[in-house]
Amino acid sequence: MKLATLLRRAALPALLSATAWLAPMAHAETITMASTTSTEQSGLFSHLLPAFKKATGTDIKVVAQGTGQALDMARRGDADVLFVHDQAAEEKFVAEGYSKKRYPVMYNDFVLIGPADDPAGVKSDDIVAALSKLAQQNASFISRGDKSGTHAAELRFWKSAGVDDMGKGYKACGCGMGPALNMASSTGAYVLSDRGTWLSFKNPGNLKILVEGDKRLFNQYGVMVVNPEKFPHVKAKEAQQFVDWVTSPAGQDTIASYEVNGQQLFFPNADK
């Protein structure tokens, strides 16, 4: 028998073994998640998604943007699952038939950040009174202005304060939470943030939390599978697998275990 034939036969078992080992990798599914900048920039997904992949083998590609933009992306059929934080908008999304069910998954809260010396004198536990003062004094305020869940909450708070004109210091950046905080830090402005992104923020400068503890600052997150009846290409099975996992004890424990500088950033409440 020729040497080349012997070598080919000797190599065949190793080749078959390698092919069998690689086969599951080649067929691993990847789903697209439309989510918020707060879940991305807080570092939560870097902690959460590897645990999901380890449990299921499924990869998740995250497109982080404002909640409004994430919902619009899903309305076009460009996402398989949503992870966002504007409950009224999420319920409307379900009512329109773009998802069959919304699942609560976790919460944190919003905080009003501002210069440590608080020139507008807003420090309190009343977000409505604080915003009213900011408008009256034309204080510098950075709004995300991006249809995000944080922006939607901010607009609700201005409305509750009876404010139509936010003052000459109001600037909308049309940007994510991290860039908005950077702008506030560099200009000494006030800004509304989710607590998770603030705790993860690396450039606080002279900023600190000035308003917290108001029950109106509660910030609920939800997850939804995009309806495959509207978009047959949606990977609904894998998307539901993520929803089931993140609302299970394993997923909820993973969320609870995420900390920055010893502080828990998100609080699971899927069973509430």
Side-chain angles (χ1 to χ4, degrees):
M1 184 177 290
K2 293 182 178 180
L3 179 60
T5 302
L6 287 170
L7 290 173
R8 282 198 301 272
R9 290 186 176 180
L12 185 59
L15 179 61
L16 290 173
S17 176
T19 303
W21 180 79
L22 288 170
M25 299 283 289
H27 293 89
E29 285 288 356
T30 298
I31 60 174
T32 299
M33 178 191 292
S35 191
T36 73
T37 61
S38 60
T39 45
E40 179 83 337
Q41 293 171 1
S42 67
L44 175 67
F45 282 158
S46 296
H47 174 78
L48 185 68
L49 299 188
F52 171 68
K53 183 178 180 180
K54 183 177 180 180
T56 66
T58 299
D59 277 311
I60 295 185
K61 174 188 174 184
V62 176
V63 180
Q65 54 200 326
T67 287
Q69 294 169 315
L71 290 166
D72 287 343
M73 178 180 171
R75 284 189 176 95
R76 297 190 299 270
D78 293 334
D80 302 301
V81 65
L82 281 157
F83 196 135
V84 288
H85 65 132
D86 184 349
Q87 186 166 342
E90 294 164 43
E91 290 172 350
K92 183 172 185 277
F93 184 83
V94 173
E96 292 169 344
Y98 288 101
S99 178
K100 294 184 177 181
K101 185 175 179 180
R102 172 191 174 275
Y103 300 78
V105 61
M106 67 185 190
Y107 70 93
N108 65 359
D109 62 342
F110 295 111
V111 289
L112 184 67
I113 309 295
D117 60 352
D118 189 18
V122 301
K123 185 172 176 59
S124 68
D125 60 0
D126 189 331
I127 186 61
V128 169
L131 291 183
S132 182
K133 285 185 179 180
L134 292 178
Q136 291 167 12
Q137 299 180 41
N138 292 310
S140 181
F141 184 94
I142 304 298
S143 169
R144 284 183 56 175
D146 64 347
K147 293 176 61 181
S148 62
T150 303
H151 182 219
E154 177 209 318
L155 294 178
R156 289 196 304 271
F157 301 149
W158 287 116
K159 184 176 180 181
S160 295
V163 173
D164 295 319
D165 182 354
M166 290 81 154
K168 296 177 181 178
Y170 185 90
K171 294 180 178 63
C173 68
C175 61
M177 197 67 256
L181 283 167
N182 273 319
M183 289 180 66
S185 178
S186 64
T187 61
Y190 293 85
V191 60
L192 185 75
S193 174
D194 68 283
R195 190 183 292 269
T197 307
W198 168 249
L199 290 175
S200 303
F201 185 53
K202 306 300 184 185
N203 182 34
N206 192 40
L207 300 181
K208 64 180 291 187
I209 294 176
L210 296 174
V211 179
E212 61 182 330
D214 188 328
K215 64 182 181 180
R216 290 169 289 198
L217 293 169
F218 179 80
N219 181 28
Q220 176 70 49
Y221 288 78
V223 288
M224 296 175 287
V225 176
V226 177
N227 190 351
E229 292 176 8
K230 279 192 175 289
F231 304 105
H233 63 272
V234 163
K235 297 175 181 177
K237 179 181 177 182
E238 293 80 9
Q240 187 65 51
Q241 186 181 40
F242 172 73
V243 170
D244 292 342
W245 179 83
V246 81
T247 57
S248 74
Q252 295 280 280
D253 288 347
T254 305
I255 290 170
S257 69
Y258 181 56
E259 296 183 345
V260 172
N261 297 325
Q263 295 191 64
Q264 184 176 338
L265 270 63
F266 299 95
F267 299 85
N269 66 344
D271 58 348
K272 299 294 188 284

mmCIF file of all heavy atoms in Angstrom, residues 251-267:
data_model
loop_
_atom_site.group_PDB
_atom_site.id
_atom_site.type_symbol
_atom_site.label_atom_id
_atom_site.label_comp_id
_atom_site.label_asym_id
_atom_site.label_seq_id
_atom_site.Cartn_x
_atom_site.Cartn_y
_atom_site.Cartn_z
ATOM 1 N N GLY A 251 -31.524 33.168 35.572
ATOM 2 C CA GLY A 251 -31.332 34.482 34.971
ATOM 3 C C GLY A 251 -31.490 35.605 35.980
ATOM 4 O O GLY A 251 -30.721 36.584 35.977
ATOM 5 N N GLN A 252 -32.467 35.471 36.846
ATOM 6 C CA GLN A 252 -32.718 36.503 37.856
ATOM 7 C C GLN A 252 -31.551 36.593 38.845
ATOM 8 O O GLN A 252 -31.137 37.686 39.244
ATOM 9 C CB GLN A 252 -34.024 36.207 38.588
ATOM 10 C CG GLN A 252 -35.256 36.284 37.689
ATOM 11 C CD GLN A 252 -35.739 37.697 37.451
ATOM 12 O OE1 GLN A 252 -36.415 38.287 38.296
ATOM 13 N NE2 GLN A 252 -35.373 38.262 36.315
ATOM 14 N N ASP A 253 -30.998 35.443 39.208
ATOM 15 C CA ASP A 253 -29.833 35.447 40.100
ATOM 16 C C ASP A 253 -28.621 36.093 39.427
ATOM 17 O O ASP A 253 -27.818 36.770 40.080
ATOM 18 C CB ASP A 253 -29.493 34.020 40.530
ATOM 19 C CG ASP A 253 -30.496 33.441 41.524
ATOM 20 O OD1 ASP A 253 -31.307 34.221 42.072
ATOM 21 O OD2 ASP A 253 -30.470 32.217 41.743
ATOM 22 N N THR A 254 -28.496 35.875 38.121
ATOM 23 C CA THR A 254 -27.375 36.471 37.382
ATOM 24 C C THR A 254 -27.503 37.991 37.364
ATOM 25 O O THR A 254 -26.513 38.714 37.541
ATOM 26 C CB THR A 254 -27.315 35.917 35.950
ATOM 27 O OG1 THR A 254 -27.248 34.484 35.987
ATOM 28 C CG2 THR A 254 -26.105 36.447 35.203
ATOM 29 N N ILE A 255 -28.709 38.490 37.162
ATOM 30 C CA ILE A 255 -28.944 39.942 37.206
ATOM 31 C C ILE A 255 -28.603 40.486 38.592
ATOM 32 O O ILE A 255 -27.908 41.504 38.730
ATOM 33 C CB ILE A 255 -30.411 40.264 36.852
ATOM 34 C CG1 ILE A 255 -30.674 39.991 35.369
ATOM 35 C CG2 ILE A 255 -30.750 41.723 37.194
ATOM 36 C CD1 ILE A 255 -32.133 40.053 34.978
ATOM 37 N N ALA A 256 -29.084 39.817 39.626
ATOM 38 C CA ALA A 256 -28.866 40.283 41.001
ATOM 39 C C ALA A 256 -27.396 40.287 41.385
ATOM 40 O O ALA A 256 -26.969 41.091 42.216
ATOM 41 C CB ALA A 256 -29.665 39.424 41.979
ATOM 42 N N SER A 257 -26.622 39.406 40.770
ATOM 43 C CA SER A 257 -25.211 39.287 41.148
ATOM 44 C C SER A 257 -24.321 40.336 40.492
ATOM 45 O O SER A 257 -23.139 40.433 40.819
ATOM 46 C CB SER A 257 -24.685 37.889 40.797
ATOM 47 O OG SER A 257 -24.611 37.706 39.395
ATOM 48 N N TYR A 258 -24.883 41.120 39.568
ATOM 49 C CA TYR A 258 -24.055 42.120 38.892
ATOM 50 C C TYR A 258 -23.889 43.359 39.780
ATOM 51 O O TYR A 258 -24.872 44.007 40.150
ATOM 52 C CB TYR A 258 -24.673 42.525 37.553
ATOM 53 C CG TYR A 258 -23.818 43.549 36.827
ATOM 54 C CD1 TYR A 258 -22.484 43.292 36.550
ATOM 55 C CD2 TYR A 258 -24.341 44.781 36.451
ATOM 56 C CE1 TYR A 258 -21.687 44.216 35.909
ATOM 57 C CE2 TYR A 258 -23.549 45.720 35.805
ATOM 58 C CZ TYR A 258 -22.219 45.430 35.538
ATOM 59 O OH TYR A 258 -21.428 46.365 34.915
ATOM 60 N N GLU A 259 -22.650 43.666 40.097
ATOM 61 C CA GLU A 259 -22.343 44.804 40.969
ATOM 62 C C GLU A 259 -21.211 45.633 40.377
ATOM 63 O O GLU A 259 -20.364 45.123 39.638
ATOM 64 C CB GLU A 259 -21.922 44.318 42.359
ATOM 65 C CG GLU A 259 -23.007 43.580 43.126
ATOM 66 C CD GLU A 259 -22.553 43.178 44.524
ATOM 67 O OE1 GLU A 259 -21.322 43.211 44.782
ATOM 68 O OE2 GLU A 259 -23.418 42.833 45.346
ATOM 69 N N VAL A 260 -21.200 46.906 40.716
ATOM 70 C CA VAL A 260 -20.097 47.806 40.398
ATOM 71 C C VAL A 260 -19.680 48.483 41.691
ATOM 72 O O VAL A 260 -20.521 49.081 42.375
ATOM 73 C CB VAL A 260 -20.504 48.855 39.345
ATOM 74 C CG1 VAL A 260 -19.396 49.900 39.171
ATOM 75 C CG2 VAL A 260 -20.792 48.177 38.004
ATOM 76 N N ASN A 261 -18.417 48.331 42.044
ATOM 77 C CA ASN A 261 -17.904 48.907 43.295
ATOM 78 C C ASN A 261 -18.740 48.479 44.503
ATOM 79 O O ASN A 261 -19.022 49.289 45.402
ATOM 80 C CB ASN A 261 -17.852 50.435 43.203
ATOM 81 C CG ASN A 261 -16.894 50.918 42.130
ATOM 82 O OD1 ASN A 261 -15.849 50.306 41.893
ATOM 83 N ND2 ASN A 261 -17.241 52.008 41.462
ATOM 84 N N GLY A 262 -19.151 47.210 44.486
ATOM 85 C CA GLY A 262 -19.906 46.665 45.602
ATOM 86 C C GLY A 262 -21.363 47.048 45.643
ATOM 87 O O GLY A 262 -22.070 46.695 46.597
ATOM 88 N N GLN A 263 -21.858 47.736 44.621
ATOM 89 C CA GLN A 263 -23.268 48.155 44.600
ATOM 90 C C GLN A 263 -24.027 47.390 43.515
ATOM 91 O O GLN A 263 -23.590 47.317 42.365
ATOM 92 C CB GLN A 263 -23.382 49.657 44.327
ATOM 93 C CG GLN A 263 -22.790 50.518 45.423
ATOM 94 C CD GLN A 263 -23.156 51.981 45.233
ATOM 95 O OE1 GLN A 263 -24.329 52.359 45.299
ATOM 96 N NE2 GLN A 263 -22.154 52.813 45.001
ATOM 97 N N GLN A 264 -25.158 46.842 43.894
ATOM 98 C CA GLN A 264 -26.019 46.143 42.941
ATOM 99 C C GLN A 264 -26.692 47.167 42.041
ATOM 100 O O GLN A 264 -27.256 48.159 42.501
ATOM 101 C CB GLN A 264 -27.076 45.331 43.693
ATOM 102 C CG GLN A 264 -27.955 44.484 42.795
ATOM 103 C CD GLN A 264 -28.928 43.609 43.564
ATOM 104 O OE1 GLN A 264 -28.696 43.314 44.747
ATOM 105 N NE2 GLN A 264 -29.998 43.185 42.940
ATOM 106 N N LEU A 265 -26.654 46.935 40.711
ATOM 107 C CA LEU A 265 -27.178 47.918 39.767
ATOM 108 C C LEU A 265 -28.628 47.665 39.356
ATOM 109 O O LEU A 265 -29.366 48.616 39.082
ATOM 110 C CB LEU A 265 -26.303 47.967 38.500
ATOM 111 C CG LEU A 265 -25.146 48.964 38.540
ATOM 112 C CD1 LEU A 265 -24.144 48.604 39.626
ATOM 113 C CD2 LEU A 265 -24.455 49.038 37.191
ATOM 114 N N PHE A 266 -29.033 46.408 39.293
ATOM 115 C CA PHE A 266 -30.388 46.065 38.849
ATOM 116 C C PHE A 266 -30.983 45.033 39.805
ATOM 117 O O PHE A 266 -30.265 44.193 40.348
ATOM 118 C CB PHE A 266 -30.359 45.511 37.425
ATOM 119 C CG PHE A 266 -29.835 46.480 36.405
ATOM 120 C CD1 PHE A 266 -28.501 46.444 36.044
ATOM 121 C CD2 PHE A 266 -30.662 47.428 35.823
ATOM 122 C CE1 PHE A 266 -27.991 47.330 35.102
ATOM 123 C CE2 PHE A 266 -30.177 48.319 34.896
ATOM 124 C CZ PHE A 266 -28.835 48.283 34.518
ATOM 125 N N PHE A 267 -32.308 45.092 39.963
ATOM 126 C CA PHE A 267 -32.997 44.257 40.923
ATOM 127 C C PHE A 267 -34.068 43.420 40.203
ATOM 128 O O PHE A 267 -35.016 43.963 39.652
ATOM 129 C CB PHE A 267 -33.627 45.132 42.017
ATOM 130 C CG PHE A 267 -32.602 45.915 42.781
ATOM 131 C CD1 PHE A 267 -32.158 47.150 42.297
ATOM 132 C CD2 PHE A 267 -32.052 45.418 43.963
ATOM 133 C CE1 PHE A 267 -31.181 47.872 42.973
ATOM 134 C CE2 PHE A 267 -31.079 46.137 44.650
ATOM 135 C CZ PHE A 267 -30.634 47.351 44.163
#
